Amino acid sequence: MSGRTDSDTQDGIRTDAIEAHDTDDADTPDDMPGPDPADADADADADADGDSGEDEYAGEDARQARWTAAGTGALLTLAGLAAALLRLTGPAPALVPAAYALGAAVCALAALLGSRGRTRRALWLLIAGVMVMAVGDQLD
């Protein structure tokens, strides 16, 4: 059972509660007093303080993730291009510098995506780019 009631039942409950409240004498105090306005203000201030702390860093965390993804992508792109150029001038098979260059291209795409805020995709592309470069290293 979900614990939900039909809307017809809730309307009947509300109507019964309103009628019961209207028939009470004005001289008798309520069984359950209402909340103190000072307590409600204090609770609202506490909620506002707790929520603003989390929201305050949300933009900063996103900006830091974008810079991290873009910077790491650029650094790995440069490393892959340097390795491709070094292997191209040496006696390595042609597949080795091609793997490094392809890995560098994937990392460059990751840097671009990271700078645009697509950090999750950028980080996965960084992993894929490094794996392609690692294949080039294994072929060497």
Side-chain angles (χ1 to χ4, degrees), residues 80 83-85 87-88 93-105 132-133 135-136 139:
L85 289 175
R87 298 297 182 223
L88 191 61
L95 193 57
V96 174
Y100 280 118
L102 181 62
V132 170
M133 287 191 252
V135 168
L139 293 174

Side-chain angles (χ1 to χ4, degrees), residues 99-115:
Y100 280 118
L102 181 62
V106 172
C107 289
L109 178 62
L112 179 69
L113 287 177
S115 68

